Amino acid sequence: MADATVPILDIRGVSKSFAVQGRSVQALSGANLTVAKGEFICLLGASGCGKSTLLRIVAGFESATGGEALMWGKPIDGPGPSRGMVFQDYGLFPWLTVRDNIGFGPKSRGRPTAEIRDTVERYIALVGLQRFADAYPHQLSGGMKQRVAIARVLANDAEVVLMDEPFGALDAMTRERLQDELLDLWSRTGLTVLFVTHAIEEAIFLADRVVVMSPSPGRIDAIHGIDLARRRDVSSPAFNDVRRMLSAQLHSHHAPVAA
Ligand SMILES: Nc1ncnc2c1ncn2[C@@H]1O[C@H](COP(=O)(O)OP(=O)(O)O)[C@@H](O)[C@H]1O
Ligand SMILES: [Mg+2]
């Protein structure tokens, strides 16, 4: 399946417009991005830049109105288990336990029972939720719910994990911990991650490359490789240099247009 000459994701001139009350709103305009297997990409920008729209097109929830999005060279024409989405509000099934939430995908794809059991136990262990396997979502903290959401995507054999501001609803300490856990998981599994955030620091801490987006219409402004050794020290001068550069770039979008 994997072919070294074909990128796992290839976003070619992707545009998306929506009809809103009779007029057309351009959510995304001419986005180009090629992603290699195993890369950790952050999409960074203020709200309204088209970050979620781009992610939803890669997920197959929306179709592009211009250009095309390819996975392994094939047009993405709908959702599929190889691309799993993790949402800010978790999106767990409240009536299912942790174990059954994680097993839902493999079960609905008709995997054999013994295989489902092994897969579920492996991912429960991977995200450290063994003691909560029989708990329901409402019995879990936000951080734990997000671990279940990640495990659920992985149990479904996702190669690409799409994360839309996944840690946005968490307190700062839980968020930092999950950032570390996610990087650990990523480095152990070879997953490809597309992670949306509006937090500059989060993007620099996590990403191999940061894709800076800007609004009206939503578009990709620049793509920056983050050449800092991991685990990254958010208080280091080198980290600060990148933070200053990205901050200036993001704020330039709000500058008044010169007369
Ligand atoms: N389903 C939709 N219908 C109409 N407009 C939409 C829809 N989805 C997004 N938009 C518009 O497209 C733009 C980009 O939205 P979005 O992708 O959600 O941005 P972001 O995730 O960066 O905040 C916004 O102006 C938003 O209002
Ligand atoms: Mg969004």
Side-chain angles (χ1 to χ4, degrees):
M1 180 89 163
D3 175 341
T5 63
V6 178
I8 189 165
L9 293 175
D10 193 358
I11 292 153
R12 292 191 187 160
V14 166
S15 299
K16 177 75 183 178
S17 49
F18 293 99
V20 180
Q21 292 176 338
R23 64 189 188 93
S24 169
V25 172
Q26 183 111 40
L28 192 63
S29 173
N32 289 300
L33 176 67
T34 303
V35 180
K37 182 175 163 54
E39 268 195 295
F40 199 124
I41 303 283
C42 281
L43 306 179
L44 174 68
S47 66
C49 291
K51 305 182 299 295
S52 296
T53 299
L54 181 53
L55 216 62
R56 293 172 60 77
I57 288 171
V58 175
F61 298 153
E62 307 268 9
S63 53
T65 45
E68 57 180 354
L70 311 171
M71 180 167 179
W72 292 131
K74 293 201 197 76
I76 293 168
D77 59 5
S82 63
R83 285 156 283 124
M85 182 84 107
V86 175
F87 302 93
Q88 181 175 129
D89 59 2
Y90 320 115
L92 302 177
F93 302 119
W95 60 89
L96 295 181
T97 62
V98 166
R99 183 176 274 123
D100 291 342
N101 263 283
I102 297 174
F104 184 85
K107 191 171 172 193
S108 56
R109 290 195 293 141
R111 309 305 306 163
T113 309
E115 182 193 307
I116 296 173
R117 196 185 50 230
D118 289 352
T119 302
V120 168
E121 296 314 313
R122 185 153 59 92
Y123 286 110
I124 285 178
L126 199 66
V127 296
L129 286 174
Q130 294 94 326
R131 284 172 47 230
F132 295 88
D134 296 314
Y136 287 86
H138 76 271
Q139 298 171 307
L140 306 175
S141 69
M144 290 157 111
K145 281 189 253 202
Q146 209 50 300
R147 286 193 192 98
V148 177
I150 293 169
R152 190 173 60 169
V153 159
L154 299 183
N156 220 8
D157 295 330
E159 292 177 85
V160 177
V161 183
L162 306 167
M163 308 184 85
D164 198 350
E165 310 206 24
F167 305 152
L170 304 174
D171 63 84
M173 273 167 64
T174 305
R175 182 179 186 144
E176 282 170 26
R177 194 159 152 210
L178 279 178
Q179 288 169 352
D180 275 327
E181 288 180 15
L182 177 62
L183 285 178
D184 184 49
L185 207 65
W186 167 72
S187 65
R188 284 188 289 150
T189 53
L191 286 167
T192 305
V193 182
L194 240 60
F195 186 109
V196 165
T197 181
H198 58 255
I200 295 175
E201 190 161 293
E202 182 166 63
I204 307 170
F205 185 72
L206 293 173
D208 290 325
R209 288 191 292 153
V210 174
V211 175
V212 177
M213 299 184 66
S214 61
S216 314
R219 63 191 182 278
I220 293 178
D221 244 16
I223 302 177
H224 300 281
I226 305 299
D227 193 17
L228 302 171
R230 300 175 194 272
R231 178 179 188 270
R232 294 174 179 160
D233 176 359
V234 299
S235 61
S236 71
F239 196 102
N240 249 317
D241 288 345
V242 180
R243 181 173 8 217
R244 204 174 298 114
M245 181 270 294
L246 288 178
S247 175
Q249 191 162 45
L250 285 173
H251 289 118
S252 71
H253 304 146
H254 304 300
V257 177

